[in-house]
Amino acid sequence: MKRVSMKDKSAPHGEVRGPVQVAGPSATPWLNILNKCLLVAAAATVALAAAAFIVSGWSGAGSVVLGSVVVVAFFGLSLLVGHVYGRKNPSGAIGVFMVTYLVKVVGFAVVLFTLGAPTWLNGPWFAAAGVVVVLLWQGTEVVTFSRQRLQLYNDPVDPVEQPPAAGSGQAPS
């Protein structure tokens, strides 16, 4: 593994404390993104549910939790599919994301319209949780994905000395 010396900004006067190992590219970044998004969504859900409980009681808190669960299920499914399929065929992950998105939209629409809204559901808290968790989830996804190290090109291979091509006029050495 390659070692690179970098300046440590926390060290006095920018001294180098020691070698820092270079991280390689992630094989599948989707599970890491999912974990970070789940943490952010859980924190937002707890905060919103507490506020909803204070203002509207159990129906408000339950509505926040249900709204958050719907958003997490919708977006988390794509990242799980990307993780599973991305290990087998990383270049085909985007196509699988598109197909998964179509299935999710149709599937969630059918489920939500078939089941309908429960009588206890507090619409404003449900919608607020949905909007807040979607915005935080998408923001976390973008930031986490932008920090991933994705290898775009193959590593250079050391040229192996090959015999000259036939008819090149050079004698083998």
Side-chain angles (χ1 to χ4, degrees), residues 70-84:
V70 169
V71 170
V72 167
F74 187 83
F75 289 108
L77 186 62
S78 291
L79 293 173
L80 278 175
V81 168
H83 172 70
V84 170

Side-chain angles (χ1 to χ4, degrees), residues 59-155:
S59 67
S63 300
V64 166
V65 171
L66 182 61
S68 298
V69 165
V70 169
V71 170
V72 167
F74 187 83
F75 289 108
L77 186 62
S78 291
L79 293 173
L80 278 175
V81 168
H83 172 70
V84 170
Y85 190 79
R87 289 187 297 175
K88 296 175 186 168
N89 183 4
S91 62
I94 298 300
V96 172
F97 278 134
M98 291 178 2
V99 170
T100 304
Y101 186 78
L102 178 65
V103 168
K104 287 187 315 184
V105 168
V106 172
F108 273 79
V110 167
V111 168
L112 291 176
F113 286 123
T114 302
L115 293 179
T119 56
W120 55 265
L121 186 74
N122 185 321
W125 281 113
F126 179 81
V131 169
V132 168
V133 173
V134 163
L135 292 175
L136 289 174
W137 185 283
Q138 292 295 297
T140 304
E141 238 180 10
V142 168
V143 169
T144 307
F145 185 78
S146 70
R147 292 182 178 168
Q148 297 294 315
R149 296 188 57 172
L150 303 173
Q151 186 170 357
L152 299 177
Y153 303 102
N154 291 335
D155 289 328

